[in-house]
Amino acid sequence: MTFVVTENCIKCKFTDCVDVCPVDCFHEGPNFLVIDPDECIDCTLCEPECPAEAIFAEDEVPEGQEIFIQLNADLAKNWPVISEVKDPLPEADDWNGKPNKIDLLEK
Ligand code: SF4
Ligand code: F3S
């Protein structure tokens, strides 16, 4: 099992999640974070930390968001590890909760 970052992280990137991960398995892209499924130890700590409620256990990913399971696995291979909190993206509060952000994902 792994945890998965889903659509509502896009254009928010609050990064509270990375502060609690004991194995540093978050990877950072331009406007989204992903979890490396090969490193996640399923500790559950990150899920309640995300202000955008974007993190789910793999078997609880909401309907329609299943594509993010594969996206996390694929993008984690290319993006660098992030282990320290940074400022959210400038318009994070405005984008929090907006639907259909997947087309805005920058790889
Ligand atoms: Fe890291 Fe635990 Fe979240 Fe997995 S469940 S990404 S190990 S904090
Ligand atoms: Fe993204 Fe939530 Fe982490 S918005 S960066 S998954 S705290």
Side-chain angles (χ1 to χ4, degrees):
M1 255 272 278
T2 180
F3 277 64
V4 176
V5 184
T6 63
E7 186 170 30
N8 203 31
C9 176
I10 297 170
K11 290 187 79 72
C12 292
K13 210 164 79 166
F14 286 105
T15 76
D16 302 60
C17 52
V18 306
D19 201 32
V20 297
C21 183
V23 293
D24 293 347
C25 60
F26 283 90
H27 293 245
E28 183 185 19
N31 66 3
F32 187 53
L33 254 58
V34 293
I35 292 169
D36 183 345
D38 294 332
E39 298 292 332
C40 176
I41 57 170
D42 202 18
C43 73
T44 79
L45 291 176
C46 57
E47 182 179 0
E49 295 300 317
C50 175
E53 298 182 1
I55 303 175
F56 294 89
E58 184 176 18
D59 60 0
E60 293 177 353
V61 168
E63 203 178 329
Q65 303 261 315
E66 296 88 349
I67 190 174
F68 283 92
I69 297 171
Q70 192 63 46
L71 273 174
N72 275 240
D74 291 344
L75 296 172
K77 291 188 173 71
N78 298 334
W79 288 351
V81 168
I82 173 172
S83 57
E84 289 183 12
V85 174
K86 57 165 70 171
D87 287 342
L89 291 174
E91 297 175 344
D93 287 334
D94 293 335
W95 284 100
N96 188 358
K98 287 243 166 71
N100 306 320
K101 290 195 278 183
I102 190 165
D103 291 342
L104 305 171
L105 174 60
E106 296 175 33
K107 298 178 185 172

